[in-house]
Amino acid sequence: MLQLEHIFKTYYVGDETVHALDDASLHVRPKEFVAICGPSGSGKTTLMNVMGCLDTPDSGRYILDGVNIAECTDKELSLIRSEKIGFVFQQFNLLDSMSALENVELPLIYQKLSQKERLERAKAALDQVGLGNRMQHRPSQLSGGQQQRVAIARALASNARVILADEPTGNLDSKSGNDIMRLIQRLSQEENTIVLITHNAEVAMQAQRTVYVRDGRLYNTLEEAGIV
């Protein structure tokens, strides 16, 4: 589903050179649930931005669902982000002026679906995450855990091939975080391909497979990464 091969990404901050990704390679199979774990500054956010087609590597190859991303136009990349990738962020990124249903429905406008189909998809996604009775509530009327469920429903409604979750439990208390992880595990069992970014080793352990990031490089074990 995702193939990253020998990805390099360098940033220049003043006189400092930061090798955010240093020969990073990663293959994620369809329907696999993979956690990418590393501390702040390790390169995991840059990796997610590359996987989400939000940033381009300096060199290397990225194949997403059979498409070579380097060969895509800006318009094609926009379609890929809209139709193939579902994003879940730590900050929820919900509009408080809209209901949960409207927040989930909004990105579907860019897929040029009819209003009826948008509503059907949004309602089905909210039902799927257990918020069928909260569709008309605004984010300010929902708990943090419920807001994150709305964000997950928004990702599901697009029928994305891949869900990228960046620290989805980072702003939640332990109970709400555990609830969200149980939901993500259930979604992975329902044949969704999920890549979760986290600094929390306990969260990462709940995935089928964990990849560790240190200084822009990827490792399969903590020992290889030199973390223990």
Side-chain angles (χ1 to χ4, degrees):
M1 178 58 69
L2 296 94
Q3 297 175 255
L4 296 102
E5 300 176 352
H6 306 293
I7 299 294
F8 289 82
K9 184 67 179 181
T10 301
Y11 296 105
Y12 299 95
V13 183
D15 295 331
E16 184 180 2
T17 300
V18 179
H19 299 289
L21 294 176
D22 186 7
D23 198 18
S25 295
L26 174 66
H27 288 196
V28 178
R29 299 185 301 273
K31 307 173 186 178
E32 190 176 17
F33 176 18
V34 176
I36 297 174
C37 186
S40 297
S42 61
K44 62 185 187 296
T45 298
T46 300
L47 183 63
M48 194 206 76
N49 288 340
V50 169
M51 288 189 292
C53 302
L54 299 171
D55 201 355
T56 56
D58 298 329
S59 62
R61 189 170 73 147
Y62 177 33
I63 307 296
L64 171 61
D65 196 22
V67 177
N68 187 340
I69 296 303
E71 298 175 353
C72 294
T73 65
D74 289 344
K75 183 177 181 180
E76 289 169 337
L77 286 176
S78 294
L79 286 173
I80 286 171
R81 287 190 294 266
S82 173
E83 298 177 359
K84 290 184 180 289
I85 303 170
F87 294 95
V88 179
F89 297 103
Q90 180 178 350
Q91 301 296 336
F92 314 142
N93 291 348
L94 303 177
L95 297 177
D96 198 52
S97 60
M98 293 184 170
S99 66
L101 181 63
E102 290 169 331
N103 268 285
V104 174
E105 180 192 1
L106 182 62
L108 300 179
I109 294 173
Y110 302 101
Q111 294 190 15
K112 299 181 180 179
L113 302 173
S114 68
Q115 184 178 23
K116 179 182 178 182
E117 188 171 359
R118 293 198 306 267
L119 283 171
E120 287 175 350
R121 281 204 198 178
K123 288 178 179 178
L126 285 166
D127 279 332
Q128 193 173 354
V129 301
L131 288 180
N133 61 341
R134 294 287 189 272
M135 292 186 185
Q136 299 305 325
H137 287 62
R138 294 186 178 184
S140 61
Q141 299 171 309
L142 301 172
S143 69
Q146 289 172 332
Q147 290 183 61
Q148 192 60 289
R149 285 175 180 267
V150 174
I152 293 171
R154 182 177 55 194
L156 292 171
S158 66
N159 290 339
R161 300 297 305 275
V162 178
I163 295 175
L164 298 180
D166 186 9
E167 299 281 7
T169 64
N171 276 345
L172 304 177
D173 59 51
S174 58
K175 180 182 182 304
S176 297
N178 289 335
D179 289 343
I180 289 300
M181 286 308 302
R182 280 193 291 270
L183 171 59
I184 290 175
Q185 286 179 316
R186 176 167 64 79
L187 294 176
S188 73
Q189 294 165 2
E190 294 173 359
E191 303 189 342
N192 294 282
T193 302
I194 299 174
V195 179
L196 182 148
I197 308 292
T198 182
H199 70 279
N200 189 323
E202 292 183 9
V203 169
M205 288 173 60
Q206 299 179 57
Q208 295 171 344
R209 176 164 64 100
T210 301
V211 176
Y212 300 93
V213 188
R214 183 180 181 185
D215 298 330
R217 290 180 172 267
L218 303 185
Y219 302 89
N220 292 317
T221 66
L222 287 168
E223 290 78 11
E224 287 179 5
I227 298 176
V228 294

